[in-house]
């Protein structure tokens, strides 16, 4: 009898966690196959690597296709379903949580890099190759960040984001070559969704629908239905994640030129960032979780295996967002909270990126023997926070925003190439921490808002049959 009970328990566990286990197996198998193919000694061409990556690329395209409709419908339906005062409280709690965790991540990263000093050894200076040329000032990047919050065309915001570019005009007598401040100011729309603008528009639309009352019911029902439909499609796509991450990881390892930098010149830097991500993800976040919910996070983190494996395989917090929402729904969280908090978190909450950029900037300063005063460290922390908010939730987006942070320390943009060799792997780890932080944030906000939600629900029920709640508003799955 005990044996039968144990067997039933194992079968039940496998049934509930089959997809998670398959995804983790996909990551491990992809890593092993990638190493094995490299060990053959055959030099794989870019085209051959592309063929290996193709199935994973299709999976990633499917996930990215869901981002815009899911993000807009989720935020609008969530805010429209909540009482205006309650949505304000939920939003404020989410922003406070995200700002707190990002600040903690930056401080932790700075503390580790100034203590361990991975760039102190002059022999560890790798060769510099010009990878990213600087064509904008830090001020322009921050102004662009604010501009993108207010898109001039919401349709265009689904496919492109605004960007300022400084160009040298030989015919301009006021332009001085090498001094970006004197260059001609141009702008263009960069390919890729303006997620900040979409989030801002969705929040305003959701608040408007909530304020309109019964008049907005048809439009609210549309967004509720669209959100649920997107989650059903996400459920179908999720079952492709084991194969998708398998091919993505395999191809990525195949195309790496050399692993010597991981354990050689950049080994100490790599371990410093990894230690910071681990301490933040399973230390700082856990402490904040316990303080806010009076519960241990272990049980919840154990249920995020699918989310973490997908984040590691795709290196994109935006692409993982549909899976994160589904995971939180499976935990029994109020859908209005998850559909409000998770999309915002996937957009502005990049703890792993903030920590990594702070460490990378000071590491490069140590290599270049630049003295880091307290003022410069504070400037790095502020810029790293702003840069992480502006970073897109796509693979290696942090490399682009690193230009802002390096400019704060007075380092050239070309120095980004010093850490390029290990960024592909660190990107996967910091993305994993980003999505874990988003999910834990949704749980914390839901826990802190529970009393307000119950009060709002009781008030709606007292108002009679004319104010029935939809399935989403009731929190039913």
């Amino acid at each position: 009898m005990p044996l039968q009970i144990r067997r039933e328990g194992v079968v039940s566990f496998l049934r509930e966690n089959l997809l998670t286990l398959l995804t983790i197996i996909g990551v491990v198998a992809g890593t092993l196959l990638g190493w094995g193919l490299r060990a053959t000694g055959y030099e794989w061409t870019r085209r051959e690597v592309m063929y290996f990556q193709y199935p994973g690329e299709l999976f990633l395209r499917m996930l990215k296709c869901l981002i815009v409709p899911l993000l807009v419908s989720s935020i609008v339906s969530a805010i429209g379903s909540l009482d205006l005062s309650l949505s304000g409280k939920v939003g404020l709690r989410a922003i406070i949580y995200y700002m707190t965790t990002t600040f903690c991540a930056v401080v932790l990263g700075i503390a580790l890099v100034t203590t361990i000093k991975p760039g102190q050894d002059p022999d560890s200076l790798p060769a510099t190759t010009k990878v990213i040329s600087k064509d904008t000032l830090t001020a322009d990047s921050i102004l662009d960040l604010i501009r993108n919050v207010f898109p001039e065309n919401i349709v265009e915001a689904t496919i492109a984001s605004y960007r300022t570019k400084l160009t040298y005009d030989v015919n301009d007598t006021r332009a001085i070559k090498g001094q970006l401040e004197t260059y001609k100011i141009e702008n263009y729309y960069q390919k890729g969704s303006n997620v900040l603008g979409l989030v801002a528009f969705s929040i305003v639309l959701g608040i408007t629908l909530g304020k309109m009352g019964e008049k907005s019911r048809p439009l609210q029902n549309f967004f509720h239905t669209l959100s649920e439909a997107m989650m059903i499609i996400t459920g179908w796509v999720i079952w492709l994640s084991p194969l998708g991450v398998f091919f993505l990881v395999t191809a990525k390892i195949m195309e790496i030129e050399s692993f010597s930098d991981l354990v050689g010149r950049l080994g100490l830097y790599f371990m410093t960032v990894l230690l910071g991500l681990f301490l933040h993800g399973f230390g700082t976040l856990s402490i904040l979780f316990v303080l806010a919910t009076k519960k241990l996070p272990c049980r919840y983190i154990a249920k995020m295996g699918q989310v973490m494996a997908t984040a590691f395989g795709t290196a994109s917090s935006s692409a993982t967002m549909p899976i994160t929402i589904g995971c939180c729904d499976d935990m029994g969280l109020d859908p209005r909270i998850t559909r409000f908090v998770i999309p915002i978190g996937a957009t502005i909450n990049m703890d792993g990126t903030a920590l990594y950029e702070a460490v990378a900037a000071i590491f490069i300063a140590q290599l270049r023997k630049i003295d880091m005063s307290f003022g410069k460290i504070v400037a790095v922390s502020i810029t790293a926070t702003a840069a992480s908010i502006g970073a897109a939730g796509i693979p290696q987006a942090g490399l682009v925003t690193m230009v802002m942070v390096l400019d704060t320390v007075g380092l050239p943009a070309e120095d980004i190439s010093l850490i390029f060799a290990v960024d592909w792997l660190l990107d996967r780890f910091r993305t994993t921490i980003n999505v874990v932080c988003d999910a834990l944030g949704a749980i914390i906000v839901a826990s802190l808002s529970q009393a307000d939600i119950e009060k709002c629900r009781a008030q709606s029920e007292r108002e009679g049959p004319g104010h029935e709640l939809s399935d989403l508003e009731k929190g039913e799955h």
Side-chain angles (χ1 to χ4, degrees):
M1 191 69 177
L3 183 61
Q4 183 180 356
I5 295 174
R6 283 200 297 269
R7 188 182 296 116
E8 290 176 354
V10 171
V11 171
S12 176
F13 174 81
L14 290 175
R15 188 183 297 114
E16 293 176 3
N17 300 277
L18 178 61
L19 184 58
T20 299
L21 293 174
L22 289 176
T23 307
I24 294 173
I25 290 172
V27 173
V28 175
T31 303
L32 294 176
L33 179 60
W35 276 95
L37 292 174
R38 288 180 60 87
T40 60
Y42 178 76
E43 189 173 339
W44 299 94
T45 65
R46 292 179 180 176
R47 175 160 291 275
E48 289 168 334
V49 172
M50 183 270 288
Y51 288 146
F52 265 100
Q53 187 176 339
Y54 187 69
E57 180 188 345
L58 294 181
F59 166 68
L60 201 52
R61 290 171 72 92
M62 291 180 198
L63 281 179
K64 289 182 177 180
C65 180
L66 299 173
I67 293 173
V68 171
L70 179 61
L71 182 143
V72 174
S73 62
S74 294
I75 295 179
V76 173
S77 62
I79 297 179
S81 301
L82 291 170
D83 178 82
L84 287 181
S85 62
L86 178 55
S87 62
K89 292 178 182 177
V90 171
L92 182 61
R93 286 166 183 154
I95 295 298
I96 291 175
Y97 168 77
Y98 291 143
M99 291 298 102
T100 302
T101 56
T102 302
F103 174 76
C104 291
V106 171
V107 171
L108 176 61
I110 291 175
L112 287 175
V113 73
T114 53
T115 302
I116 299 174
K117 297 181 179 178
Q120 198 173 37
D121 182 10
D123 296 331
S124 65
L125 182 63
T128 303
T129 56
K130 192 172 183 178
V131 177
I132 298 178
S133 58
K134 185 179 177 185
D135 62 355
T136 186
L137 296 173
T138 300
D140 294 324
S141 300
I142 295 175
L143 291 175
D144 284 347
L145 179 66
I146 299 172
R147 287 189 185 105
N148 282 317
V149 175
F150 305 97
E152 58 185 9
N153 187 325
I154 193 62
V155 177
E156 190 174 42
T158 61
I159 60 172
S161 56
Y162 184 95
R163 188 172 186 273
T164 297
K165 183 179 181 180
L166 304 178
T167 56
Y168 177 68
D169 187 356
V170 293
N171 297 320
D172 187 355
T173 56
R174 293 175 298 177
I176 304 174
K177 196 169 183 62
Q179 294 185 16
L180 294 179
E181 295 86 351
T182 65
Y183 283 16
K184 182 180 179 182
I185 302 174
E186 296 180 344
N187 60 75
Y188 68 98
Y189 280 90
Q190 190 175 38
K191 183 180 177 182
S193 300
N194 175 11
V195 182
L196 277 175
L198 293 174
V199 167
F201 175 80
S202 302
I203 290 174
V204 173
L205 181 57
I207 292 173
T208 304
L209 294 181
K211 199 173 183 63
M212 288 173 65
E214 284 301 313
K215 291 181 181 179
S216 67
R217 184 62 61 185
L219 195 53
Q220 283 199 42
N221 289 337
F222 166 76
F223 283 111
H224 290 335
T225 306
L226 179 60
S227 177
E228 291 302 310
M230 288 299 102
M231 288 309 302
I232 292 174
I233 297 174
T234 298
W236 297 340
V237 174
I238 283 176
W239 280 99
L240 299 174
S241 56
L243 278 177
V245 298
F246 169 76
F247 286 106
L248 286 172
V249 173
T250 300
K252 193 62 192 179
I253 292 180
M254 288 173 63
E255 70 181 6
I256 297 303
E257 295 181 0
S258 173
F259 284 95
S260 61
D261 284 329
L262 285 178
V263 293
R265 295 172 298 186
L266 293 173
L268 193 54
Y269 160 75
F270 180 85
M271 293 308 299
T272 302
V273 176
L274 211 57
L275 176 62
L277 293 174
F278 180 83
L279 290 177
H280 180 71
F282 301 99
T284 306
L285 295 181
S286 296
I287 293 172
L288 291 174
F289 188 90
V290 171
L291 292 175
T293 66
K294 305 299 187 290
K295 299 176 183 176
L296 291 175
C298 311
R299 174 167 73 93
Y300 299 97
I301 293 177
K303 294 181 180 180
M304 297 179 196
Q306 173 71 23
V307 174
M308 290 189 284
T310 305
F312 186 86
T314 62
S316 172
S317 53
S318 293
T320 312
M321 183 185 69
I323 299 176
T324 309
I325 293 176
C327 175
C328 290
D329 285 349
D330 291 339
M331 292 183 194
L333 299 183
D334 191 312
R336 293 171 295 177
I337 301 297
T338 58
R339 283 156 174 73
F340 183 12
V341 175
I342 295 296
I344 295 176
T347 306
I348 68 171
N349 181 50
M350 302 286 178
D351 289 1
T353 304
L355 185 147
Y356 147 80
E357 292 187 345
V359 172
I362 297 178
F363 166 72
I364 293 173
Q366 290 172 352
L367 287 176
R368 297 298 187 193
K369 298 189 180 304
I370 294 178
D371 182 50
M372 292 296 293
S373 63
F374 179 75
K376 283 188 176 181
I377 291 178
V378 171
V380 166
S381 65
I382 295 173
T383 313
T385 302
S388 67
I389 294 173
I394 57 176
Q396 294 188 310
L399 280 177
V400 179
T401 54
M402 266 297 296
V403 174
M404 291 172 55
V405 187
L406 290 182
D407 186 55
T408 304
V409 194
L411 293 168
E414 301 86 64
D415 278 1
I416 295 175
S417 62
L418 297 174
I419 57 173
F420 193 79
V422 296
D423 185 75
W424 68 274
L425 185 54
L426 288 177
D427 188 30
R428 281 160 163 70
F429 284 108
R430 63 179 183 256
T431 301
T432 303
I433 295 302
N434 289 342
V435 298
V436 169
C437 184
D438 293 343
L440 290 178
I443 298 170
I444 289 175
V445 173
S447 176
L448 295 176
S449 305
Q450 193 59 44
D452 294 322
I453 292 172
E454 293 297 333
K455 183 179 178 181
C456 180
R457 183 174 297 161
Q459 182 179 352
S460 298
E461 290 173 354
R462 284 197 302 271
E463 289 177 350
H467 295 81
E468 287 94 350
L469 299 175
S470 66
D471 287 346
L472 180 62
E473 290 173 289
K474 291 177 181 176
E476 297 175 0
H477 309 293

